[in-house]
Amino acid sequence: MTKQARSGPASVWNNIEGIAFGGDYNPEQWPVSVRLEDLELMQEAGVNFLSVGIFSWALLEPAEGQYDFGWLDEVMDNLHSIGVKVALATATAAPPAWLVRRHPEILPVTADGTVLGPGSRRHYTPSSAVYRRYAKGITRMLAERYKDHPALALWHVDNELGCHVSEFYGDEDAAAFRGWLERRYGTIEALNSAWGTAFWSQNYGSFEEILPPGLAPSTLNPGQQLDFQRFNSWILMDYYRELVAVLREITPTVPCTTNLMASSATKAMDYFSWAKDLDVIANDHYLVAADPERHIELAFSADLTRGIAGGDPWILMEHSTSAVNWQPRNQPKMPGEMLRNSLAHVGRGADAVMFFQWRQSFAGSEKFHSAMVPHGGRETRVWREVVDLGAALKLLEPVRGSRVESRVAIVFDYEAWWASEIDSKPSIDVRYLDLLRAFHRSLFLRAVSVDMVHPSATLEGYDLVLVCTLYSVTDEAAANIAAAAAAGATVLVTYFSGIVDEKDHVRLGGYPGAFRELLGVRVEEFRPLLAGSQLKLSDGTISSIWSEHIHLEGAEALQTFTEYPLDGVPSLTRRPVGSGAAWYLATFPDSNGIESVVDRLLGESGVAPVAAADPGVELTRRRLADGRSFLFAINHNRSGSSVQAVGTDLLSGERFDGTVPAGGVAVIAED
Ligand code: GLA
């Protein structure tokens, strides 16, 4: 998939040489002497791209209508003098104190009516007309001032929209929610029908009666909850678009983006629906230090980001050189881990490697968060690794613009994530990501490359398609998935998929509604397991969380439940479809069971690992349009590991000898 080239904004990549390298630069914290030293250090590290001014509104506009751009002029000029390009922020991610004092109505309100105050950041609601007016004001001033500045390469609009607060319950939000509903449904009757308000006397006589789903005596209407999630995701993007309109007017050729937080931890924003409004996809990613498999979570997040980008190269806008300061215990990265993390992102499609932040703060909330220049300055492991990373990225210039190759697609849908986890379901243990990540993990460990694909996007070219817990699905997406099987793919659908349509209305006549025909099964009754219970399946697999009473209607059973009352009932089925096949998994197998299902699926679809290697080596391949390919081999072992590849290691400049050193990385330009 390639996004249509847009007329208007140029590609950010036109402005940057090689792989972009840098981070958030917050020079307003420092005296001029330090800023001058920054320039020296940036050159030493090979920095060529920085995000500037993200939280600097209060200094740029210290009082309403009074501006001080002097320091930013100097910073922009100095960065330009050393050849650094700038992603200039709109400065709108933290409203200044004077604005809050004058207009407290811009503050966000939580579900219980609490107003979130200033003194931190992100203290505004995107619905606020007043906030938008002021935000557009500072955005316009910045655009007018720097429109011709040679360092300006990208607009960094606001920052991590939806971070800290992603649901908005104030009066102005409620009005915007009602407006959004009216546009979506047209009539109140259509809304009543979509939300199933005939149940529990929830019928509305007019849109004016509707409120956001705040606190209530019992569970709230699921249609209302789902639409509120859609609305919140939309209103953030609507605010983004309003700022972009100002930027387009003044700098039509400068691309715009905002940094996403795509990962297993961010659920609130439908980034697939946002992608069309971003000129380039940018993502922020932070490891959870306590997770021994954090590199696998990184791979998942990077694959998801590439999916949102439609396969195009993307910007890793932030990650950390070492520890963060917002987890309970903030362990620094292990030696070499930063290089592995950075190049894992590049191996998964990033053409820019950036950090929060350039220089570690000495004051403020984030002074114990790592940075490219640590408190200890040059005499630190982190600085030495930053300089080495800059040098490594320079050597990877030939990789730029190449695309990651995958023959496996995992279908990913934020709407299904939201809908499947709204309350009052058969089991709280059914979590959208659990099976999906179990399959991703298995494929990661086998060095099989995976793309994350929205259910309505084309599945052409994939030999294996995994559809996990896709509880809600549109008719079109279900047809798209069925077409992939008919065209020759092996498609696996897991339990609690295809159950409802986009209104969260059950597809009647037997589960899994939308996929019943494709799979050749009919589920009569769900039988979720009690906490801690396990089942034994006919091939010895242990499973948990879910079972169900299936009837075969065209599929064959490959494995069955063995225990009362489901003894002999299929737990894994397969139906040939066109030149492909549709498989159905009706329980959550333990990791051995997942491996055995993945063995079978890979066997049938003929999908092979990216290359042969020792266990513990992460492998991806990027390929240029002219056919040249680059194998990224990231050794997570603490001993040298072998990889079968023939070519030249771009990082060492030598012929690749078949071994990646302990904890090291090779990027092999293949012969
Ligand atoms: C987010 C923000 C940054 C910084 C980092 C710290 O990504 O965008 O400003 O707070 O978190 O990890």
Side-chain angles (χ1 to χ4, degrees):
M1 279 181 294
T2 315
K3 276 191 278 176
Q4 289 297 306
R6 293 178 177 78
S7 59
S11 164
V12 65
W13 308 115
N14 294 349
N15 279 315
I16 295 164
E17 275 172 37
I19 305 286
F21 178 50
D24 285 11
Y25 186 35
N26 301 305
E28 60 272 33
Q29 306 171 86
W30 300 100
V32 171
S33 58
V34 174
R35 294 185 212 168
L36 291 177
E37 190 201 32
D38 284 341
L39 301 176
E40 238 174 76
L41 293 174
M42 284 169 186
Q43 285 171 286
E44 195 174 320
V47 163
N48 62 0
F49 196 37
L50 294 167
S51 294
V52 179
I54 296 174
F55 297 102
S56 58
W57 190 349
L59 293 180
L60 293 172
E61 191 178 358
E64 184 169 354
Q66 287 173 32
Y67 298 95
D68 175 11
F69 288 111
W71 65 270
L72 186 54
D73 291 350
E74 171 218 297
V75 166
M76 293 290 283
D77 292 349
N78 286 345
L79 293 179
H80 176 61
S81 74
I82 60 164
V84 169
K85 294 293 176 187
V86 171
L88 187 58
T90 55
T92 48
W98 56 259
L99 175 52
V100 179
R101 182 160 174 242
R102 175 137 189 236
H103 290 291
E105 71 273 22
I106 68 169
L107 294 170
V109 177
T110 61
D112 65 359
T114 303
V115 177
L116 300 178
S120 177
R121 62 177 179 181
R122 302 212 52 76
H123 44 288
Y124 68 83
T125 169
S127 312
S128 166
V130 167
Y131 189 66
R132 288 185 183 210
R133 177 156 51 81
Y134 280 92
K136 281 190 290 182
I138 185 68
T139 298
R140 180 173 294 278
M141 292 300 291
L142 282 159
E144 291 289 1
R145 187 155 193 107
Y146 298 107
K147 63 182 179 209
D148 297 320
H149 200 287
L152 175 65
L154 179 68
W155 286 111
H156 182 299
V157 177
D158 210 283
N159 190 63
E160 290 192 341
L161 295 167
C163 181
H164 310 318
V165 196
S166 57
E167 292 183 337
F168 304 92
Y169 293 87
D171 290 346
E172 207 168 351
D173 308 310
F177 181 43
R178 287 189 284 271
W180 181 88
L181 289 169
E182 206 162 343
R183 289 192 296 282
R184 182 176 177 89
Y185 292 108
T187 65
I188 197 67
E189 291 75 24
L191 176 138
N192 280 317
S193 147
W195 288 7
T197 54
F199 191 67
W200 279 8
S201 178
Q202 291 172 347
N203 202 65
Y204 292 98
S206 76
F207 285 98
E208 282 66 56
E209 293 168 2
I210 297 173
L211 293 169
L215 299 189
S218 181
T219 50
L220 289 149
N221 181 294
Q224 183 186 13
Q225 292 188 63
L226 182 58
D227 273 340
F228 192 57
Q229 288 183 289
R230 289 177 174 135
F231 160 75
N232 282 301
S233 176
W234 172 84
I235 192 87
L236 287 162
M237 224 343 75
D238 188 59
Y239 160 68
Y240 167 90
R241 281 190 292 260
E242 200 163 336
L243 297 189
V244 167
V246 173
L247 297 169
R248 287 277 196 266
E249 184 194 321
I250 302 163
T251 56
T253 60
V254 179
C256 300
T257 195
T258 187
N259 43 345
L260 311 181
M261 302 172 283
S263 80
S264 60
T266 301
K267 174 181 171 187
M269 282 70 68
D270 180 355
Y271 289 143
F272 279 97
S273 78
W274 285 21
K276 60 183 179 315
D277 288 304
L278 273 45
D279 295 319
V280 58
I281 296 298
N283 200 49
D284 297 350
H285 184 263
Y286 289 94
L287 297 175
V288 173
D291 178 1
E293 295 198 337
R294 52 190 182 268
H295 59 297
I296 305 184
E297 197 285 329
L298 182 157
F300 167 82
S301 302
D303 289 343
L304 177 57
T305 305
R306 185 176 72 256
I308 293 163
D312 289 343
W314 48 278
I315 295 175
L316 176 64
M317 190 66 101
E318 292 179 22
H319 67 153
S320 67
T321 56
S322 191
V324 299
N325 68 323
W326 42 264
Q327 290 170 14
R329 290 160 206 88
N330 296 294
Q331 229 193 13
K333 288 191 178 176
M334 294 296 165
E337 190 173 0
M338 181 186 75
L339 177 80
R340 291 194 296 280
N341 293 164
S342 295
L343 296 193
H345 283 290
V346 176
R348 291 171 193 278
D351 272 357
V353 172
M354 303 176 69
F355 295 92
F356 173 83
Q357 59 178 327
W358 162 251
R359 185 185 277 275
Q360 188 170 13
S361 305
F362 67 93
S365 284
E366 299 194 293
K367 57 184 172 295
F368 292 114
H369 192 296
S370 61
M372 297 172 80
V373 184
H375 287 154
R378 275 194 176 97
E379 299 308 315
T380 52
R381 172 181 73 86
V382 166
W383 173 251
R384 286 188 291 274
E385 291 195 14
V386 163
V387 173
D388 290 349
L389 174 61
L393 292 174
K394 273 214 171 66
L395 299 169
L396 296 189
E397 180 161 358
V399 171
R400 205 178 91 152
S402 59
R403 295 166 73 87
V404 175
E405 282 187 343
S406 311
R407 290 173 59 199
V408 181
I410 293 184
V411 167
F412 194 98
D413 186 21
Y414 285 95
E415 291 227 351
W417 189 354
W418 299 340
S420 62
E421 294 183 2
I422 288 173
D423 54 60
S424 314
K425 293 294 195 315
S427 169
I428 59 164
D429 296 326
V430 177
R431 310 295 300 170
Y432 178 68
L433 290 184
D434 286 356
L435 255 179
L436 194 153
R437 288 196 60 201
F439 279 106
H440 184 273
R441 173 182 185 275
S442 166
L443 294 163
F444 173 94
L445 293 173
R446 291 161 182 261
V448 171
S449 183
V450 176
D451 286 349
M452 305 282 192
V453 181
H454 188 265
S456 62
T458 178
L459 292 165
E460 249 169 63
Y462 293 110
D463 297 306
L464 177 60
V465 176
L466 304 178
V467 181
C468 302
T469 326
L470 196 69
Y471 162 74
S472 63
V473 66
T474 62
D475 292 349
E476 296 70 36
N480 186 41
I481 290 163
T490 293
V491 175
L492 172 79
V493 178
T494 73
Y495 64 83
F496 216 47
S497 294
I499 306 300
V500 300
D501 64 12
E502 62 273 30
K503 294 182 200 138
D504 198 23
H505 290 188
V506 172
R507 294 171 176 276
L508 300 175
Y511 315 121
F515 297 120
R516 209 168 56 217
E517 209 176 298
L518 168 70
L519 299 168
V521 300
R522 181 171 57 85
V523 176
E524 180 183 329
E525 190 176 42
F526 300 144
R527 200 159 267 285
L529 274 59
L530 294 177
S533 319
Q534 291 189 325
L535 292 174
K536 197 165 177 193
L537 309 178
S538 54
D539 62 0
T541 295
I542 304 297
S543 76
S544 61
I545 297 184
W546 191 265
S547 65
E548 54 190 15
H549 190 176
I550 297 183
H551 300 280
L552 297 178
E553 292 187 346
E556 60 164 328
L558 302 174
Q559 179 200 56
T560 57
F561 296 107
T562 62
E563 290 168 44
Y564 178 78
L566 295 181
D567 24 339
V569 169
S571 51
L572 178 68
T573 68
R574 177 180 181 278
R575 175 177 169 249
V577 181
S579 49
W583 296 55
Y584 182 59
L585 177 62
T587 188
F588 197 137
D590 66 4
S591 56
N592 289 336
I594 293 277
E595 293 315 315
S596 114
V597 174
V598 171
D599 277 342
R600 290 171 169 212
L601 295 171
L602 292 177
E604 176 171 300
S605 57
V607 174
V610 169
D614 284 342
V617 182
E618 175 178 350
L619 295 174
T620 53
R621 179 175 286 110
R622 293 184 60 167
R623 193 180 291 280
L624 286 165
D626 65 10
R628 279 181 295 154
S629 65
F630 306 94
L631 180 70
F632 282 71
I634 299 174
N635 185 2
H636 296 284
N637 300 317
R638 290 177 61 189
S639 56
S641 301
S642 71
V643 175
Q644 278 180 32
V646 180
T648 302
D649 180 3
L650 294 178
L651 297 176
S652 68
E654 315 261 315
R655 291 294 294 170
F656 178 62
D657 66 2
T659 304
V660 186
V665 182
V667 180
I668 302 145
E670 296 176 296
D671 288 353

PDB file of all heavy atoms in Angstrom, residues 328-349:
ATOM      1  N   PRO A 328       7.071   3.177  37.846  1.00  0.00           N
ATOM      2  CA  PRO A 328       7.323   3.106  39.292  1.00  0.00           C
ATOM      3  C   PRO A 328       8.817   2.991  39.618  1.00  0.00           C
ATOM      4  O   PRO A 328       9.301   3.602  40.562  1.00  0.00           O
ATOM      5  CB  PRO A 328       6.578   1.850  39.733  1.00  0.00           C
ATOM      6  CG  PRO A 328       5.678   1.466  38.620  1.00  0.00           C
ATOM      7  CD  PRO A 328       6.162   2.128  37.367  1.00  0.00           C
ATOM      8  N   ARG A 329       9.523   2.190  38.841  1.00  0.00           N
ATOM      9  CA  ARG A 329      10.982   2.037  39.039  1.00  0.00           C
ATOM     10  C   ARG A 329      11.635   2.222  37.680  1.00  0.00           C
ATOM     11  O   ARG A 329      11.355   1.457  36.758  1.00  0.00           O
ATOM     12  CB  ARG A 329      11.297   0.637  39.577  1.00  0.00           C
ATOM     13  CG  ARG A 329      10.820   0.471  40.988  1.00  0.00           C
ATOM     14  CD  ARG A 329      10.643  -0.958  41.421  1.00  0.00           C
ATOM     15  NE  ARG A 329       9.634  -0.975  42.476  1.00  0.00           N
ATOM     16  CZ  ARG A 329       8.323  -1.082  42.275  1.00  0.00           C
ATOM     17  NH1 ARG A 329       7.841  -1.263  41.064  1.00  0.00           N
ATOM     18  NH2 ARG A 329       7.481  -1.027  43.273  1.00  0.00           N
ATOM     19  N   ASN A 330      12.474   3.223  37.572  1.00  0.00           N
ATOM     20  CA  ASN A 330      12.967   3.617  36.251  1.00  0.00           C
ATOM     21  C   ASN A 330      14.380   3.126  36.016  1.00  0.00           C
ATOM     22  O   ASN A 330      15.354   3.815  36.275  1.00  0.00           O
ATOM     23  CB  ASN A 330      12.839   5.124  36.108  1.00  0.00           C
ATOM     24  CG  ASN A 330      11.378   5.545  36.157  1.00  0.00           C
ATOM     25  OD1 ASN A 330      10.603   5.209  35.264  1.00  0.00           O
ATOM     26  ND2 ASN A 330      10.970   6.205  37.215  1.00  0.00           N
ATOM     27  N   GLN A 331      14.421   1.897  35.515  1.00  0.00           N
ATOM     28  CA  GLN A 331      15.723   1.298  35.247  1.00  0.00           C
ATOM     29  C   GLN A 331      16.329   1.883  33.979  1.00  0.00           C
ATOM     30  O   GLN A 331      15.630   2.046  32.988  1.00  0.00           O
ATOM     31  CB  GLN A 331      15.527  -0.205  35.036  1.00  0.00           C
ATOM     32  CG  GLN A 331      16.491  -0.978  35.849  1.00  0.00           C
ATOM     33  CD  GLN A 331      16.552  -2.430  35.441  1.00  0.00           C
ATOM     34  OE1 GLN A 331      16.045  -2.837  34.400  1.00  0.00           O
ATOM     35  NE2 GLN A 331      17.187  -3.197  36.275  1.00  0.00           N
ATOM     36  N   PRO A 332      17.635   2.169  34.015  1.00  0.00           N
ATOM     37  CA  PRO A 332      18.272   2.606  32.766  1.00  0.00           C
ATOM     38  C   PRO A 332      18.300   1.466  31.759  1.00  0.00           C
ATOM     39  O   PRO A 332      18.159   0.297  32.128  1.00  0.00           O
ATOM     40  CB  PRO A 332      19.683   2.979  33.195  1.00  0.00           C
ATOM     41  CG  PRO A 332      19.912   2.310  34.495  1.00  0.00           C
ATOM     42  CD  PRO A 332      18.568   2.085  35.135  1.00  0.00           C
ATOM     43  N   LYS A 333      18.517   1.811  30.495  1.00  0.00           N
ATOM     44  CA  LYS A 333      18.677   0.757  29.486  1.00  0.00           C
ATOM     45  C   LYS A 333      19.989   0.026  29.725  1.00  0.00           C
ATOM     46  O   LYS A 333      20.935   0.593  30.281  1.00  0.00           O
ATOM     47  CB  LYS A 333      18.635   1.362  28.083  1.00  0.00           C
ATOM     48  CG  LYS A 333      17.231   1.818  27.719  1.00  0.00           C
ATOM     49  CD  LYS A 333      17.054   2.180  26.262  1.00  0.00           C
ATOM     50  CE  LYS A 333      15.576   2.565  26.034  1.00  0.00           C
ATOM     51  NZ  LYS A 333      15.308   3.036  24.674  1.00  0.00           N
ATOM     52  N   MET A 334      20.036  -1.204  29.291  1.00  0.00           N
ATOM     53  CA  MET A 334      21.272  -1.979  29.390  1.00  0.00           C
ATOM     54  C   MET A 334      22.264  -1.438  28.346  1.00  0.00           C
ATOM     55  O   MET A 334      21.847  -0.855  27.338  1.00  0.00           O
ATOM     56  CB  MET A 334      20.981  -3.454  29.103  1.00  0.00           C
ATOM     57  CG  MET A 334      20.103  -4.099  30.152  1.00  0.00           C
ATOM     58  SD  MET A 334      20.946  -4.108  31.749  1.00  0.00           S
ATOM     59  CE  MET A 334      19.573  -4.464  32.851  1.00  0.00           C
ATOM     60  N   PRO A 335      23.558  -1.674  28.567  1.00  0.00           N
ATOM     61  CA  PRO A 335      24.522  -1.244  27.542  1.00  0.00           C
ATOM     62  C   PRO A 335      24.122  -1.814  26.173  1.00  0.00           C
ATOM     63  O   PRO A 335      23.777  -2.989  26.069  1.00  0.00           O
ATOM     64  CB  PRO A 335      25.842  -1.852  28.027  1.00  0.00           C
ATOM     65  CG  PRO A 335      25.665  -2.000  29.505  1.00  0.00           C
ATOM     66  CD  PRO A 335      24.203  -2.289  29.722  1.00  0.00           C
ATOM     67  N   GLY A 336      24.123  -0.988  25.162  1.00  0.00           N
ATOM     68  CA  GLY A 336      23.788  -1.447  23.808  1.00  0.00           C
ATOM     69  C   GLY A 336      22.303  -1.522  23.516  1.00  0.00           C
ATOM     70  O   GLY A 336      21.905  -1.681  22.362  1.00  0.00           O
ATOM     71  N   GLU A 337      21.474  -1.397  24.547  1.00  0.00           N
ATOM     72  CA  GLU A 337      20.026  -1.558  24.323  1.00  0.00           C
ATOM     73  C   GLU A 337      19.468  -0.410  23.483  1.00  0.00           C
ATOM     74  O   GLU A 337      18.588  -0.611  22.644  1.00  0.00           O
ATOM     75  CB  GLU A 337      19.291  -1.651  25.675  1.00  0.00           C
ATOM     76  CG  GLU A 337      17.824  -2.064  25.539  1.00  0.00           C
ATOM     77  CD  GLU A 337      17.143  -2.329  26.882  1.00  0.00           C
ATOM     78  OE1 GLU A 337      17.808  -2.184  27.941  1.00  0.00           O
ATOM     79  OE2 GLU A 337      15.944  -2.675  26.867  1.00  0.00           O
ATOM     80  N   MET A 338      19.997   0.797  23.685  1.00  0.00           N
ATOM     81  CA  MET A 338      19.506   1.932  22.904  1.00  0.00           C
ATOM     82  C   MET A 338      19.755   1.717  21.409  1.00  0.00           C
ATOM     83  O   MET A 338      18.886   1.982  20.582  1.00  0.00           O
ATOM     84  CB  MET A 338      20.178   3.215  23.363  1.00  0.00           C
ATOM     85  CG  MET A 338      19.692   4.428  22.606  1.00  0.00           C
ATOM     86  SD  MET A 338      20.606   5.896  23.043  1.00  0.00           S
ATOM     87  CE  MET A 338      22.140   5.621  22.206  1.00  0.00           C
ATOM     88  N   LEU A 339      20.936   1.232  21.064  1.00  0.00           N
ATOM     89  CA  LEU A 339      21.238   0.983  19.654  1.00  0.00           C
ATOM     90  C   LEU A 339      20.290  -0.090  19.102  1.00  0.00           C
ATOM     91  O   LEU A 339      19.732   0.056  18.007  1.00  0.00           O
ATOM     92  CB  LEU A 339      22.691   0.527  19.485  1.00  0.00           C
ATOM     93  CG  LEU A 339      23.070   0.167  18.047  1.00  0.00           C
ATOM     94  CD1 LEU A 339      23.353   1.430  17.242  1.00  0.00           C
ATOM     95  CD2 LEU A 339      24.281  -0.764  17.992  1.00  0.00           C
ATOM     96  N   ARG A 340      20.103  -1.147  19.894  1.00  0.00           N
ATOM     97  CA  ARG A 340      19.193  -2.211  19.423  1.00  0.00           C
ATOM     98  C   ARG A 340      17.785  -1.650  19.234  1.00  0.00           C
ATOM     99  O   ARG A 340      17.126  -1.905  18.223  1.00  0.00           O
ATOM    100  CB  ARG A 340      19.175  -3.384  20.407  1.00  0.00           C
ATOM    101  CG  ARG A 340      20.468  -4.166  20.447  1.00  0.00           C
ATOM    102  CD  ARG A 340      20.312  -5.504  21.167  1.00  0.00           C
ATOM    103  NE  ARG A 340      19.983  -5.399  22.583  1.00  0.00           N
ATOM    104  CZ  ARG A 340      20.857  -5.138  23.556  1.00  0.00           C
ATOM    105  NH1 ARG A 340      22.132  -4.939  23.267  1.00  0.00           N
ATOM    106  NH2 ARG A 340      20.473  -5.070  24.819  1.00  0.00           N
ATOM    107  N   ASN A 341      17.315  -0.867  20.215  1.00  0.00           N
ATOM    108  CA  ASN A 341      15.967  -0.276  20.112  1.00  0.00           C
ATOM    109  C   ASN A 341      15.856   0.602  18.869  1.00  0.00           C
ATOM    110  O   ASN A 341      14.916   0.477  18.086  1.00  0.00           O
ATOM    111  CB  ASN A 341      15.653   0.613  21.323  1.00  0.00           C
ATOM    112  CG  ASN A 341      15.522  -0.131  22.634  1.00  0.00           C
ATOM    113  OD1 ASN A 341      15.567   0.482  23.698  1.00  0.00           O
ATOM    114  ND2 ASN A 341      15.373  -1.444  22.590  1.00  0.00           N
ATOM    115  N   SER A 342      16.832   1.494  18.711  1.00  0.00           N
ATOM    116  CA  SER A 342      16.754   2.457  17.595  1.00  0.00           C
ATOM    117  C   SER A 342      16.747   1.716  16.263  1.00  0.00           C
ATOM    118  O   SER A 342      15.936   2.010  15.377  1.00  0.00           O
ATOM    119  CB  SER A 342      17.944   3.417  17.633  1.00  0.00           C
ATOM    120  OG  SER A 342      17.890   4.211  18.793  1.00  0.00           O
ATOM    121  N   LEU A 343      17.644   0.728  16.127  1.00  0.00           N
ATOM    122  CA  LEU A 343      17.741   0.049  14.831  1.00  0.00           C
ATOM    123  C   LEU A 343      16.598  -0.950  14.640  1.00  0.00           C
ATOM    124  O   LEU A 343      16.248  -1.275  13.502  1.00  0.00           O
ATOM    125  CB  LEU A 343      19.111  -0.590  14.670  1.00  0.00           C
ATOM    126  CG  LEU A 343      20.266   0.423  14.647  1.00  0.00           C
ATOM    127  CD1 LEU A 343      21.553  -0.233  14.172  1.00  0.00           C
ATOM    128  CD2 LEU A 343      19.968   1.652  13.795  1.00  0.00           C
ATOM    129  N   ALA A 344      15.989  -1.396  15.737  1.00  0.00           N
ATOM    130  CA  ALA A 344      14.777  -2.220  15.583  1.00  0.00           C
ATOM    131  C   ALA A 344      13.672  -1.374  14.956  1.00  0.00           C
ATOM    132  O   ALA A 344      12.943  -1.827  14.066  1.00  0.00           O
ATOM    133  CB  ALA A 344      14.330  -2.781  16.929  1.00  0.00           C
ATOM    134  N   HIS A 345      13.548  -0.123  15.395  1.00  0.00           N
ATOM    135  CA  HIS A 345      12.556   0.772  14.777  1.00  0.00           C
ATOM    136  C   HIS A 345      12.899   0.992  13.299  1.00  0.00           C
ATOM    137  O   HIS A 345      12.015   0.966  12.443  1.00  0.00           O
ATOM    138  CB  HIS A 345      12.508   2.112  15.520  1.00  0.00           C
ATOM    139  CG  HIS A 345      11.776   2.071  16.829  1.00  0.00           C
ATOM    140  ND1 HIS A 345      10.410   1.906  16.913  1.00  0.00           N
ATOM    141  CD2 HIS A 345      12.205   2.183  18.113  1.00  0.00           C
ATOM    142  CE1 HIS A 345      10.031   1.922  18.189  1.00  0.00           C
ATOM    143  NE2 HIS A 345      11.104   2.083  18.943  1.00  0.00           N
ATOM    144  N   VAL A 346      14.177   1.220  13.009  1.00  0.00           N
ATOM    145  CA  VAL A 346      14.562   1.440  11.602  1.00  0.00           C
ATOM    146  C   VAL A 346      14.282   0.168  10.795  1.00  0.00           C
ATOM    147  O   VAL A 346      13.734   0.223   9.689  1.00  0.00           O
ATOM    148  CB  VAL A 346      16.047   1.865  11.488  1.00  0.00           C
ATOM    149  CG1 VAL A 346      16.455   1.998  10.025  1.00  0.00           C
ATOM    150  CG2 VAL A 346      16.278   3.191  12.218  1.00  0.00           C
ATOM    151  N   GLY A 347      14.616  -0.974  11.362  1.00  0.00           N
ATOM    152  CA  GLY A 347      14.364  -2.241  10.668  1.00  0.00           C
ATOM    153  C   GLY A 347      12.885  -2.457  10.390  1.00  0.00           C
ATOM    154  O   GLY A 347      12.512  -3.208   9.490  1.00  0.00           O
ATOM    155  N   ARG A 348      12.047  -1.788  11.185  1.00  0.00           N
ATOM    156  CA  ARG A 348      10.598  -1.918  11.002  1.00  0.00           C
ATOM    157  C   ARG A 348      10.010  -0.690  10.309  1.00  0.00           C
ATOM    158  O   ARG A 348       8.816  -0.436  10.397  1.00  0.00           O
ATOM    159  CB  ARG A 348       9.926  -2.208  12.349  1.00  0.00           C
ATOM    160  CG  ARG A 348      10.287  -3.598  12.827  1.00  0.00           C
ATOM    161  CD  ARG A 348       9.873  -3.962  14.230  1.00  0.00           C
ATOM    162  NE  ARG A 348      10.570  -5.187  14.604  1.00  0.00           N
ATOM    163  CZ  ARG A 348      10.178  -6.419  14.263  1.00  0.00           C
ATOM    164  NH1 ARG A 348       9.053  -6.594  13.600  1.00  0.00           N
ATOM    165  NH2 ARG A 348      10.900  -7.465  14.593  1.00  0.00           N
ATOM    166  N   GLY A 349      10.853   0.076   9.639  1.00  0.00           N
ATOM    167  CA  GLY A 349      10.320   1.089   8.727  1.00  0.00           C
ATOM    168  C   GLY A 349      10.565   2.536   9.092  1.00  0.00           C
ATOM    169  O   GLY A 349      10.194   3.423   8.322  1.00  0.00           O
TER     170      GLY A 349
END
